[in-house]
Amino acid sequence: MRIQTLLLASFFLMVLFVFPSCNGEKHISSSHTTEDIAIQKKYAALIGVSSNEITNLTLYKFIDDWYGVPYKSAGKTKAGVDCSGFVSILSAQVYKKTVGGPASSIFESCEVVSQKNLKEGDLVFFKINSDKISHVGVYLKNNHFVHASTHKGVMINSLDEAYYKKYFYKGGRIK
C-alpha cells in the first residue's frame, strides 16, 4: 500500500510540473502563429489568393521585410536595391541558391519555363525598351511577382498588367 501511495504521489507531482511547461510552450508558439496568420492574410489579399495558399512563410516574411525598399542602381541593401540585387538576395536567403550579376546573367543560370508553368520562386524576365533582358522578378502565385521597380522600389505586381504583359520575356527556374 505504501508503494502505491508513493507512486500515486509521484504521478501527481509529475503532472504538476509537466503540464505547466507544456502550457507555456503553447503560449509561445501561439504568438508566433499570430504573426504567421497576419503575413498570410496580408499577402493573400495582395495577390488574390486564399490565406491557406500562402505556405512559404520564409518567402513572404522576406518580402515583408524588404517591401518598399527604394530602388537604387546596383544596390544590394535596404538603403536601396535594384532588381537583380533583390533577386540574388532573395534567392540566397529564401532558397539557398546563388545567382548574381545583371538580369541577363541571371537568365543564363536558369532553365526556361513557360508562363503557364511558373511556380512560386521561379524568376520572371522582361525586355523593357530593348532587345536585351533588362529586368527580373520572383514569381509568387496567381500571376503575381515581387521585384524592385525603378519608380516604387520593392513591390508586387501582376503579369496581367498591360505594362508587364507587353515586356514579359520568359520565365526561368534556377538550375
Side-chain angles (χ1 to χ4, degrees):
M1 184 74 173
R2 186 173 179 171
I3 291 175
Q4 288 177 334
T5 306
L6 282 172
L7 286 173
L8 194 57
S10 297
F11 174 76
F12 284 119
L13 284 173
M14 183 178 76
V15 168
L16 286 173
F17 288 108
V18 170
F19 284 126
S21 68
C22 289
N23 232 358
E25 287 175 11
K26 285 183 185 175
H27 179 70
I28 291 168
S29 65
S30 69
S31 68
H32 183 65
T33 302
T34 303
E35 177 192 349
D36 294 349
I37 291 169
I39 293 282
Q40 287 176 306
K41 285 182 179 179
K42 177 179 181 178
Y43 288 95
L46 275 172
I47 63 176
V49 298
S50 65
S51 294
N52 63 355
E53 291 182 67
I54 304 297
T55 55
N56 186 345
L57 290 172
T58 303
L59 171 62
Y60 290 94
K61 286 178 181 180
F62 178 90
I63 293 168
D64 201 56
D65 196 36
W66 282 79
Y67 207 92
V69 168
Y71 179 86
K72 180 180 179 188
S73 182
K76 290 188 176 189
T77 69
K78 288 188 183 169
V81 67
D82 69 6
C83 66
S84 57
F86 177 72
V87 166
S88 66
I89 295 165
L90 185 151
S91 296
Q93 290 186 16
V94 175
Y95 296 105
K96 311 299 181 220
K97 294 186 178 186
T98 304
V99 294
S104 56
S105 294
I106 293 172
F107 179 74
E108 296 301 320
S109 66
C110 292
E111 70 179 66
V112 174
V113 178
S114 68
Q115 186 173 348
K116 68 179 182 170
N117 290 320
L118 287 168
K119 294 181 181 176
E120 187 176 82
D122 285 343
L123 305 183
V124 288
F125 296 91
F126 302 86
K127 289 183 174 180
I128 300 173
N129 298 324
S130 171
D131 60 344
K132 296 178 185 174
I133 295 170
S134 57
H135 190 61
V136 62
V138 177
Y139 187 79
L140 299 173
K141 290 179 180 290
N142 195 27
N143 251 7
H144 286 75
F145 66 104
V146 63
H147 63 124
S149 81
T150 55
H151 298 294
K152 295 186 179 177
V154 176
M155 62 184 300
I156 293 173
N157 286 98
S158 172
L159 292 171
D160 294 327
E161 293 173 38
Y163 180 83
Y164 294 107
K165 201 178 252 190
K166 178 179 178 181
Y167 294 116
F168 178 79
Y169 175 60
K170 289 184 180 177
R173 190 165 294 146
I174 301 170
K175 295 175 189 171

